[in-house]
Coordinates of all heavy atoms in Angstrom, one line a residue:
R13 N -145.2 11.1 123.7 CA -146.1 10.8 122.6 C -147.4 11.3 123.0 O -147.9 11.3 124.1 CB -146.2 9.2 122.7 CG -147.0 8.7 121.6 CD -147.0 7.2 121.6 NE -147.7 6.8 122.8 CZ -148.1 5.6 123.1 NH1 -147.4 4.6 122.4 NH2 -148.7 5.3 124.1
K14 N -148.1 11.9 122.0 CA -149.3 12.6 122.2 C -150.4 11.5 122.5 O -150.4 10.5 122.0 CB -149.8 13.3 120.9 CG -150.9 14.3 121.1 CD -151.2 15.1 119.9 CE -152.2 16.2 120.2 NZ -152.4 17.0 119.2
G15 N -151.2 11.9 123.6 CA -152.2 11.0 124.0 C -151.8 10.0 125.0 O -152.5 9.3 125.6
A16 N -150.5 9.9 125.4 CA -149.9 9.0 126.3 C -150.3 9.5 127.7 O -150.4 10.7 127.9 CB -148.4 8.9 126.2
P17 N -150.6 8.6 128.6 CA -150.9 9.0 130.0 C -149.8 9.8 130.5 O -148.7 9.6 130.4 CB -151.1 7.7 130.8 CG -151.2 6.7 129.7 CD -150.6 7.1 128.5
K18 N -150.2 10.9 131.3 CA -149.2 11.7 131.9 C -149.0 11.2 133.3 O -149.9 10.7 133.9 CB -149.8 13.2 132.0 CG -150.1 13.8 130.6 CD -149.0 14.0 129.8 CE -149.4 14.8 128.6 NZ -148.9 14.2 127.3
P19 N -147.7 11.4 133.9 CA -147.5 11.0 135.3 C -148.4 11.8 136.2 O -148.7 13.0 136.0 CB -146.1 11.3 135.4 CG -145.6 12.1 134.4 CD -146.6 12.1 133.3
A20 N -148.7 11.1 137.3 CA -149.7 11.8 138.3 C -148.7 12.6 139.2 O -148.0 12.1 140.0 CB -150.4 10.7 139.1
T21 N -148.9 13.8 139.1 CA -148.1 14.8 140.0 C -149.1 15.8 140.5 O -150.2 16.0 139.9 CB -147.0 15.5 139.2 OG1 -147.6 16.3 138.1 CG2 -146.0 14.5 138.7
P22 N -148.9 16.5 141.6 CA -149.9 17.5 142.1 C -150.4 18.5 141.1 O -151.5 18.9 141.0 CB -149.1 18.2 143.2 CG -148.1 17.1 143.7 CD -147.7 16.5 142.4
D23 N -149.5 19.0 140.2 CA -149.8 20.0 139.2 C -150.6 19.4 138.1 O -151.1 20.1 137.3 CB -148.6 20.8 138.8 CG -147.6 19.9 138.1 OD1 -147.3 18.8 138.5 OD2 -147.0 20.4 137.1
M24 N -150.8 18.0 138.0 CA -151.5 17.4 136.9 C -152.7 16.6 137.6 O -153.3 16.0 136.9 CB -150.6 16.5 136.2 CG -149.5 17.0 135.5 SD -150.0 18.2 134.2 CE -150.5 17.1 133.0
A25 N -153.0 16.9 138.8 CA -154.2 16.3 139.5 C -155.5 16.9 138.8 O -155.5 17.9 138.2 CB -154.3 16.7 140.9
P26 N -156.5 16.0 138.7 CA -157.7 16.4 138.0 C -158.3 17.7 138.7 O -158.2 17.8 139.9 CB -158.7 15.2 138.3 CG -157.8 14.0 138.4 CD -156.5 14.6 139.1
G27 N -158.7 18.6 137.9 CA -159.2 19.9 138.4 C -158.0 21.0 138.6 O -158.5 22.1 138.9
S28 N -156.9 20.6 138.4 CA -155.7 21.6 138.5 C -155.6 22.4 137.4 O -155.9 22.1 136.2 CB -154.5 20.9 139.0 OG -154.0 20.2 137.8
V29 N -155.0 23.6 137.6 CA -154.8 24.5 136.4 C -153.8 23.7 135.5 O -154.0 23.7 134.2 CB -154.2 25.8 136.8 CG1 -153.7 26.7 135.7 CG2 -155.2 26.6 137.7
G30 N -152.8 23.1 135.9 CA -151.8 22.4 135.2 C -152.4 21.3 134.3 O -152.1 21.2 133.1
R31 N -153.3 20.6 134.8 CA -154.0 19.4 134.1 C -154.9 20.0 133.0 O -154.9 19.5 131.9 CB -154.8 18.6 135.1 CG -155.7 17.6 134.5 CD -154.8 16.4 133.9 NE -155.6 15.2 133.5 CZ -155.9 14.3 134.3 NH1 -155.5 14.2 135.6 NH2 -156.7 13.3 133.9
A32 N -155.6 21.1 133.4 CA -156.5 21.7 132.5 C -155.7 22.3 131.2 O -156.1 22.2 130.1 CB -157.3 22.8 133.1
I33 N -154.5 22.9 131.5 CA -153.7 23.6 130.4 C -153.2 22.4 129.6 O -153.1 22.5 128.4 CB -152.6 24.3 131.0 CG1 -153.2 25.8 131.5 CG2 -151.5 24.7 130.0 CD1 -152.3 26.6 132.2
N34 N -152.7 21.3 130.2 CA -152.3 20.2 129.5 C -153.3 19.6 128.5 O -153.0 19.4 127.3 CB -151.8 19.1 130.5 CG -151.1 18.0 129.7 OD1 -150.0 18.1 129.1 ND2 -151.8 16.9 129.7
D35 N -154.5 19.5 129.1 CA -155.7 19.0 128.3 C -155.9 19.9 127.1 O -156.3 19.5 126.0 CB -156.9 18.7 129.0 CG -156.7 17.5 130.1 OD1 -155.8 16.8 130.0 OD2 -157.6 17.5 131.0
Y36 N -155.9 21.2 127.4 CA -156.3 22.2 126.4 C -155.1 22.0 125.3 O -155.4 22.0 124.0 CB -156.2 23.7 126.9 CG -156.3 24.7 125.9 CD1 -157.4 25.0 125.3 CD2 -155.2 25.4 125.7 CE1 -157.6 26.0 124.3 CE2 -155.2 26.5 124.6 CZ -156.4 26.7 124.0 OH -156.4 27.7 123.1
L37 N -153.8 22.1 125.6 CA -152.7 21.9 124.6 C -152.9 20.7 123.9 O -152.3 20.8 122.7 CB -151.4 22.3 125.3 CG -151.2 23.7 125.9 CD1 -149.9 23.8 126.7 CD2 -151.4 24.8 124.8
D38 N -153.3 19.6 124.4 CA -153.3 18.3 123.8 C -154.5 18.2 122.8 O -154.6 17.4 122.0 CB -153.3 17.2 124.7 CG -151.9 16.9 125.3 OD1 -151.0 17.4 124.8 OD2 -151.9 16.0 126.2
G39 N -155.5 19.2 123.0 CA -156.7 19.2 122.2 C -156.5 19.8 120.9 O -155.4 20.0 120.4
R40 N -157.8 20.0 120.3 CA -157.7 20.5 118.9 C -158.1 22.0 118.9 O -158.4 22.5 117.8 CB -158.7 19.7 118.0 CG -158.3 18.3 118.0 CD -158.7 17.4 116.8 NE -159.1 18.2 115.6 CZ -158.1 18.6 114.6 NH1 -156.9 18.3 114.7 NH2 -158.6 19.3 113.5
D41 N -158.3 22.6 120.0 CA -158.7 24.0 120.0 C -157.8 24.9 119.2 O -158.2 26.0 118.7 CB -158.9 24.5 121.4 CG -159.8 25.7 121.5 OD1 -161.0 25.6 121.2 OD2 -159.3 26.8 121.8
L42 N -156.5 24.6 119.1 CA -155.6 25.5 118.5 C -155.3 25.1 117.0 O -154.4 25.6 116.4 CB -154.2 25.5 119.2 CG -154.3 26.2 120.6 CD1 -153.0 26.0 121.3 CD2 -154.5 27.7 120.4
A43 N -156.1 24.2 116.5 CA -155.9 23.6 115.1 C -156.1 24.7 114.1 O -155.6 24.6 112.9 CB -156.8 22.5 114.9
D44 N -156.9 25.7 114.4 CA -157.3 26.7 113.4 C -156.3 27.9 113.4 O -156.6 28.9 112.6 CB -158.7 27.2 113.7 CG -158.8 27.9 114.9 OD1 -158.0 27.6 115.9 OD2 -159.7 28.8 115.1
V45 N -155.2 27.9 114.1 CA -154.3 29.0 114.1 C -153.0 28.6 113.6 O -152.6 27.4 113.4 CB -154.1 29.5 115.5 CG1 -155.4 30.1 116.1 CG2 -153.5 28.4 116.5
S46 N -152.2 29.6 113.2 CA -150.8 29.3 112.6 C -149.9 28.6 113.6 O -150.1 28.6 114.8 CB -150.1 30.6 112.1 OG -149.7 31.3 113.3
E47 N -148.9 27.9 113.1 CA -148.0 27.1 113.9 C -147.2 28.2 114.9 O -147.0 27.8 116.0 CB -146.9 26.4 113.0 CG -145.9 25.6 113.9 CD -146.5 24.5 114.8 OE1 -147.6 24.0 114.3 OE2 -146.0 24.2 115.9
G48 N -146.9 29.3 114.4 CA -146.2 30.3 115.2 C -147.0 30.8 116.3 O -146.5 30.8 117.5
Y49 N -148.3 31.0 116.1 CA -149.2 31.5 117.2 C -149.4 30.4 118.2 O -149.5 30.5 119.4 CB -150.5 31.9 116.6 CG -151.5 32.6 117.6 CD1 -151.1 33.7 118.3 CD2 -152.7 31.9 117.9 CE1 -151.9 34.2 119.2 CE2 -153.5 32.4 118.9 CZ -153.1 33.7 119.5 OH -153.9 34.1 120.5
R50 N -149.6 29.1 117.7 CA -149.7 28.0 118.5 C -148.6 27.8 119.4 O -148.7 27.6 120.7 CB -149.8 26.7 117.6 CG -150.4 25.5 118.3 CD -150.8 24.3 117.4 NE -150.2 24.3 116.1 CZ -151.0 24.6 115.0 NH1 -152.2 24.8 115.1 NH2 -150.4 24.5 113.8
R51 N -147.3 28.0 119.0 CA -146.1 28.0 119.8 C -146.1 29.0 120.9 O -145.8 28.8 122.0 CB -144.8 28.1 118.9 CG -144.4 26.9 118.3 CD -143.0 26.9 117.7 NE -142.8 28.0 116.9 CZ -142.8 28.0 115.5 NH1 -143.3 26.8 114.9 NH2 -142.6 29.1 114.8
A52 N -146.6 30.2 120.5 CA -146.7 31.4 121.4 C -147.7 31.1 122.5 O -147.4 31.3 123.7 CB -147.0 32.6 120.7
V53 N -148.8 30.6 122.2 CA -149.9 30.2 123.2 C -149.3 29.1 124.1 O -149.4 29.2 125.3 CB -151.2 29.8 122.5 CG1 -152.1 29.1 123.5 CG2 -151.8 31.0 121.8
R54 N -148.7 28.1 123.6 CA -148.1 27.0 124.4 C -147.1 27.6 125.4 O -147.1 27.3 126.5 CB -147.4 25.9 123.4 CG -146.8 24.9 124.2 CD -146.1 23.8 123.3 NE -147.4 23.0 122.6 CZ -148.0 22.0 123.2 NH1 -147.7 21.7 124.5 NH2 -149.0 21.4 122.6
R55 N -146.2 28.5 124.9 CA -145.2 29.0 125.7 C -145.7 29.8 126.8 O -145.3 29.6 128.0 CB -144.3 29.9 124.8 CG -143.1 30.5 125.6 CD -142.1 31.2 124.7 NE -142.8 32.4 123.9 CZ -143.0 32.4 122.6 NH1 -142.7 31.4 121.9 NH2 -143.7 33.4 122.1
H56 N -146.8 30.6 126.6 CA -147.4 31.3 127.6 C -148.2 30.4 128.6 O -148.1 30.6 129.9 CB -148.3 32.4 127.1 CG -147.6 33.6 126.6 ND1 -147.0 34.5 127.5 CD2 -147.3 34.0 125.3 CE1 -146.5 35.4 126.7 NE2 -146.6 35.2 125.5
L57 N -148.8 29.5 128.1 CA -149.7 28.6 129.0 C -148.8 27.7 129.8 O -149.1 27.4 131.0 CB -150.7 27.8 128.3 CG -151.9 28.8 127.7 CD1 -152.9 27.9 126.9 CD2 -152.5 29.5 128.8
E58 N -147.6 27.3 129.3 CA -146.7 26.5 130.1 C -146.1 27.4 131.2 O -145.9 26.8 132.3 CB -145.6 25.9 129.1 CG -146.1 24.8 128.3 CD -145.1 24.3 127.3 OE1 -144.1 24.8 127.1 OE2 -145.4 23.1 126.7
A59 N -145.9 28.6 130.9 CA -145.5 29.5 132.1 C -146.4 29.6 133.1 O -146.3 29.7 134.3 CB -145.0 30.9 131.4
V60 N -147.7 29.7 132.6 CA -148.9 29.9 133.5 C -149.0 28.6 134.4 O -149.1 28.7 135.7 CB -150.2 30.1 132.8 CG1 -151.4 29.8 133.7 CG2 -150.3 31.5 132.2
A61 N -148.8 27.4 133.8 CA -148.9 26.1 134.5 C -147.8 26.1 135.6 O -148.0 25.7 136.6 CB -148.8 25.0 133.5
A62 N -146.6 26.6 135.2 CA -145.5 26.5 136.1 C -145.7 27.6 137.2 O -145.3 27.2 138.5 CB -144.2 27.0 135.4
T63 N -146.4 28.6 137.1 CA -146.7 29.6 138.0 C -147.8 29.1 139.0 O -147.7 29.2 140.3 CB -147.2 30.9 137.5 OG1 -146.0 31.5 136.7 CG2 -147.5 32.0 138.5
F64 N -148.8 28.5 138.5 CA -149.9 28.1 139.3 C -149.8 26.7 139.8 O -150.7 26.3 140.6 CB -151.2 28.3 138.6 CG -151.6 29.9 138.4 CD1 -151.1 30.7 137.4 CD2 -152.3 30.5 139.3 CE1 -151.4 32.0 137.3 CE2 -152.6 31.8 139.4 CZ -152.2 32.6 138.3
K65 N -149.0 25.9 139.3 CA -148.7 24.6 139.7 C -150.0 23.8 140.0 O -150.7 23.5 139.1 CB -147.8 24.6 140.9 CG -146.4 25.1 140.6 CD -145.2 24.5 141.2 CE -144.0 25.3 141.0 NZ -143.4 25.1 139.8
G66 N -150.2 23.4 141.2 CA -151.4 22.5 141.5 C -152.6 23.3 142.0 O -153.5 22.7 142.5
A67 N -152.6 24.6 141.8 CA -153.9 25.3 142.1 C -155.0 24.8 141.3 O -154.9 24.4 140.2 CB -153.7 26.9 141.7
L68 N -156.2 24.8 142.0 CA -157.3 24.3 141.4 C -158.0 25.4 140.5 O -158.0 26.6 140.8 CB -158.4 24.0 142.5 CG -158.2 22.8 143.3 CD1 -159.3 22.7 144.4 CD2 -158.0 21.6 142.5
L69 N -158.4 24.9 139.3 CA -159.0 25.8 138.3 C -160.2 26.4 138.9 O -160.4 27.7 138.6 CB -159.4 24.9 137.0 CG -159.8 25.7 135.8 CD1 -158.8 26.7 135.3 CD2 -160.2 24.7 134.7
S70 N -160.9 25.7 139.7 CA -162.2 26.3 140.3 C -161.9 27.5 141.3 O -162.7 28.2 141.6 CB -163.0 25.2 141.1 OG -162.2 24.6 142.1
D71 N -160.6 27.6 141.8 CA -160.2 28.6 142.7 C -159.7 29.8 142.0 O -159.4 30.8 142.7 CB -159.2 28.1 143.7 CG -159.7 27.1 144.8 OD1 -161.0 27.1 144.9 OD2 -158.9 26.4 145.4
L72 N -159.4 29.7 140.6 CA -158.9 30.8 139.9 C -159.9 32.0 139.8 O -161.1 31.8 139.5 CB -158.6 30.3 138.5 CG -157.7 31.1 137.6 CD1 -156.3 31.2 138.2 CD2 -157.6 30.5 136.2
L73 N -159.4 33.1 140.0 CA -160.2 34.4 140.0 C -159.6 35.4 139.0 O -158.4 35.3 138.7 CB -160.1 35.1 141.4 CG -160.8 34.1 142.6 CD1 -160.5 34.9 143.9 CD2 -162.2 33.9 142.2
P74 N -160.4 36.3 138.6 CA -159.9 37.3 137.7 C -158.6 38.0 138.2 O -157.8 38.4 137.4 CB -161.1 38.3 137.5 CG -162.3 37.4 137.7 CD -161.8 36.4 138.8
R75 N -158.5 38.3 139.5 CA -157.4 38.9 140.0 C -156.1 38.2 139.8 O -155.0 38.7 139.7 CB -157.6 39.4 141.5 CG -157.7 38.2 142.4 CD -157.9 38.7 143.9 NE -158.4 37.7 144.7 CZ -157.5 37.0 145.5 NH1 -156.3 37.2 145.5 NH2 -158.1 36.0 146.2
H76 N -156.2 36.8 139.8 CA -155.0 36.0 139.5 C -154.5 36.2 138.1 O -153.4 36.3 137.9 CB -155.3 34.5 139.8 CG -155.8 34.2 141.2 ND1 -156.9 33.6 141.5 CD2 -155.1 34.5 142.4 CE1 -157.0 33.5 142.9 NE2 -156.0 34.0 143.4
V77 N -155.5 36.2 137.2 CA -155.0 36.4 135.8 C -154.5 37.8 135.6 O -153.5 37.9 135.0 CB -156.4 36.2 134.8 CG1 -156.0 36.4 133.4 CG2 -156.8 34.8 135.0
R78 N -155.2 38.8 136.3 CA -154.7 40.2 136.0 C -153.3 40.3 136.6 O -152.4 41.0 136.0 CB -155.5 41.1 136.7 CG -156.9 41.5 136.0 CD -157.6 42.7 136.6 NE -158.1 42.5 137.9 CZ -159.3 41.9 138.3 NH1 -160.1 41.5 137.4 NH2 -159.6 41.7 139.5
A79 N -153.0 39.7 137.8 CA -151.7 39.7 138.4 C -150.6 39.0 137.6 O -149.5 39.5 137.4 CB -151.7 39.1 139.8
D80 N -151.0 37.9 136.9 CA -150.1 37.2 136.0 C -149.7 38.0 134.8 O -148.6 38.2 134.5 CB -150.7 35.9 135.5 CG -149.7 35.1 134.7 OD1 -148.5 34.7 135.1 OD2 -150.1 34.9 133.6
V81 N -150.7 38.6 134.3 CA -150.4 39.5 133.0 C -149.7 40.7 133.4 O -148.8 41.2 132.6 CB -151.8 39.7 132.4 CG1 -151.6 40.8 131.2 CG2 -152.5 38.5 131.8
A82 N -150.0 41.3 134.6 CA -149.3 42.6 135.0 C -147.9 42.4 135.2 O -147.1 43.4 135.1 CB -150.0 43.1 136.3
R83 N -147.3 41.2 135.3 CA -145.8 40.9 135.4 C -145.1 41.2 134.2 O -143.9 41.2 134.2 CB -145.6 39.6 136.0 CG -146.1 39.3 137.4 CD -145.9 37.9 138.0 NE -146.4 36.9 137.1 CZ -145.6 36.0 136.5 NH1 -144.3 35.9 136.7 NH2 -146.2 35.0 135.7
L84 N -145.9 41.2 133.1 CA -145.3 41.4 131.8 C -145.5 42.8 131.2 O -146.3 43.5 131.7 CB -145.8 40.4 130.8 CG -145.6 38.9 131.3 CD1 -146.5 38.0 130.4 CD2 -144.3 38.5 131.3
D85 N -144.6 43.2 130.3 CA -144.8 44.4 129.6 C -145.2 44.3 128.2 O -144.8 43.3 127.5 CB -143.5 45.3 129.7 CG -143.1 45.6 131.1 OD1 -144.1 46.0 131.8 OD2 -141.9 45.6 131.4
G86 N -145.8 45.4 127.6 CA -146.1 45.3 126.1 C -146.6 44.2 125.5 O -147.7 43.7 125.9
T87 N -146.1 43.8 124.4 CA -146.7 42.7 123.6 C -146.7 41.4 124.3 O -147.6 40.6 124.1 CB -146.0 42.6 122.3 OG1 -144.6 42.3 122.5 CG2 -146.1 43.9 121.4
A88 N -145.7 41.3 125.2 CA -145.8 40.0 126.0 C -147.0 40.0 127.0 O -147.7 38.8 127.1 CB -144.6 39.9 126.9
A89 N -147.3 41.1 127.5 CA -148.6 41.1 128.3 C -149.8 40.8 127.5 O -150.7 40.0 127.9 CB -148.6 42.4 129.0
L90 N -149.8 41.4 126.3 CA -151.0 41.2 125.4 C -151.2 39.8 125.0 O -152.1 39.2 125.0 CB -150.9 42.2 124.3 CG -152.0 42.1 123.2 CD1 -153.4 42.4 123.8 CD2 -151.7 43.0 122.0
A91 N -149.9 39.2 124.6 CA -149.9 37.8 124.3 C -150.4 36.9 125.3 O -151.1 36.0 125.1 CB -148.6 37.4 123.7
R92 N -149.9 37.2 126.6 CA -150.3 36.3 127.7 C -151.8 36.4 127.9 O -152.5 35.5 128.2 CB -149.5 36.8 129.0 CG -149.9 36.0 130.2 CD -149.4 34.6 130.3 NE -148.0 34.4 130.1 CZ -147.1 34.4 131.1 NH1 -147.5 34.5 132.3 NH2 -145.8 34.2 130.8
H93 N -152.3 37.6 127.8 CA -153.7 37.9 128.0 C -154.5 37.1 127.0 O -155.6 36.5 127.4 CB -154.1 39.3 128.0 CG -155.4 39.7 128.3 ND1 -156.4 39.9 127.3 CD2 -156.1 39.7 129.5 CE1 -157.6 40.1 127.8 NE2 -157.5 40.0 129.1
K94 N -154.1 37.2 125.8 CA -154.8 36.3 124.8 C -154.8 34.9 125.0 O -155.8 34.2 124.8 CB -154.2 36.6 123.3 CG -154.6 38.1 122.9 CD -154.0 38.3 121.5 CE -154.2 39.7 121.0 NZ -153.6 39.9 119.7
A95 N -153.6 34.4 125.5 CA -153.5 33.0 125.7 C -154.4 32.6 126.9 O -155.2 31.5 126.9 CB -152.1 32.6 126.1
W96 N -154.5 33.4 127.9 CA -155.5 33.1 129.1 C -156.9 33.2 128.5 O -157.7 32.3 128.9 CB -155.4 34.3 130.1 CG -154.4 34.0 131.2 CD1 -153.2 34.7 131.5 CD2 -154.5 33.2 132.4 NE1 -152.7 34.3 132.6 CE2 -153.4 33.4 133.2 CE3 -155.5 32.2 132.7 CZ2 -153.3 32.6 134.4 CZ3 -155.3 31.4 133.9 CH2 -154.1 31.8 134.7
R97 N -157.2 34.0 127.7 CA -158.6 34.2 127.2 C -159.0 33.0 126.4 O -160.1 32.4 126.5 CB -158.7 35.5 126.4 CG -160.2 35.7 125.9 CD -160.2 37.1 125.2 NE -159.0 37.4 124.7 CZ -158.8 38.6 124.1 NH1 -159.8 39.6 124.0 NH2 -157.6 38.9 123.6
R98 N -158.1 32.5 125.5 CA -158.4 31.2 124.7 C -158.5 30.1 125.7 O -159.5 29.3 125.5 CB -157.3 31.0 123.7 CG -157.3 32.0 122.5 CD -156.3 31.4 121.5 NE -156.7 30.3 120.8 CZ -157.3 30.4 119.6 NH1 -157.5 31.4 119.0 NH2 -157.8 29.2 119.1
F99 N -157.7 30.0 126.6 CA -157.6 28.8 127.5 C -158.9 28.9 128.4 O -159.6 27.8 128.5 CB -156.4 28.8 128.4 CG -156.5 27.9 129.6 CD1 -156.7 26.6 129.5 CD2 -156.4 28.5 130.8 CE1 -156.8 25.7 130.6 CE2 -156.6 27.7 132.0 CZ -156.7 26.3 131.7
L100 N -159.3 29.9 129.0 CA -160.4 30.0 129.9 C -161.7 29.9 129.1 O -162.6 29.3 129.7 CB -160.3 31.4 130.7 CG -159.2 31.4 131.7 CD1 -159.2 32.7 132.4 CD2 -159.3 30.3 132.7
A101 N -161.8 30.4 127.9 CA -163.0 30.1 127.1 C -163.3 28.7 126.8 O -164.3 28.1 126.9 CB -163.0 30.9 125.8
W102 N -162.0 27.9 126.6 CA -162.2 26.4 126.4 C -162.5 25.8 127.7 O -163.4 24.9 127.7 CB -160.8 25.9 125.9 CG -160.6 24.6 126.0 CD1 -161.0 23.6 125.0 CD2 -160.1 23.7 127.1 NE1 -160.7 22.3 125.3 CE2 -160.2 22.4 126.7 CE3 -159.7 24.0 128.3 CZ2 -159.9 21.2 127.5 CZ3 -159.4 22.9 129.2 CH2 -159.4 21.6 128.7
A103 N -161.9 26.2 128.8 CA -162.3 25.6 130.1 C -163.7 25.8 130.5 O -164.3 24.8 131.0 CB -161.4 26.3 131.2
V104 N -164.3 26.9 130.2 CA -165.7 27.1 130.5 C -166.5 26.1 129.6 O -167.5 25.5 130.1 CB -166.2 28.7 130.3 CG1 -167.6 28.7 130.2 CG2 -165.6 29.5 131.4
R105 N -166.2 26.0 128.4 CA -167.0 25.1 127.5 C -166.8 23.6 127.9 O -167.7 22.9 127.6 CB -166.5 25.3 126.0 CG -166.9 26.5 125.4 CD -166.6 26.5 123.9 NE -165.3 26.0 123.5 CZ -164.2 26.8 123.3 NH1 -164.3 28.1 123.6 NH2 -163.1 26.3 122.9
N106 N -165.7 23.3 128.4 CA -165.4 21.9 128.8 C -165.5 21.6 130.3 O -165.3 20.6 130.7 CB -164.1 21.5 128.2 CG -164.0 21.5 126.7 OD1 -164.5 20.6 126.1 ND2 -163.5 22.6 126.1

């Protein structure tokens, strides 16, 4: 259920990448895009959350993002980069 409290796990700790991604995906920042694009962003960011697990958002560096995107090819890499960009712009604002 949307808005329901999430279980406390290390990857969902306050300040973690996982928690920030969860908060972003539960928010309204993607309300202005198509459902298909929203699903693609969600898919990429859920993969990011799985990769970075309990890492702190404050410890995230550009090299981490570049390494994550570099693991993909072609349009998948471009889509992952765009998802990172949307998420990190939101994180800076919030």
Side-chain angles (χ1 to χ4, degrees):
R13 188 177 73 181
K14 193 171 185 173
K18 305 291 188 229
T21 60
D23 59 324
M24 295 300 284
S28 69
V29 172
R31 174 71 168 270
I33 286 174
N34 185 69
D35 291 347
Y36 172 75
L37 293 175
D38 280 351
R40 300 210 20 88
D41 198 67
L42 292 171
D44 63 334
V45 299
S46 72
E47 182 61 33
Y49 186 66
R50 196 172 14 255
R51 280 193 306 266
V53 170
R54 177 174 293 278
R55 185 175 55 251
H56 281 288
L57 291 180
E58 286 174 350
V60 167
T63 299
F64 287 88
K65 300 210 185 288
L68 293 177
L69 189 57
S70 61
D71 291 341
L72 193 64
L73 298 173
R75 66 183 166 93
H76 298 124
V77 175
R78 284 192 298 271
D80 180 59
V81 171
R83 295 181 305 118
L84 303 171
D85 291 322
T87 58
L90 180 60
R92 176 70 58 91
H93 184 260
K94 288 179 181 180
W96 269 112
R97 189 174 23 189
R98 286 188 74 100
F99 164 64
L100 292 174
W102 171 88
V104 167
R105 287 191 313 269
N106 293 283

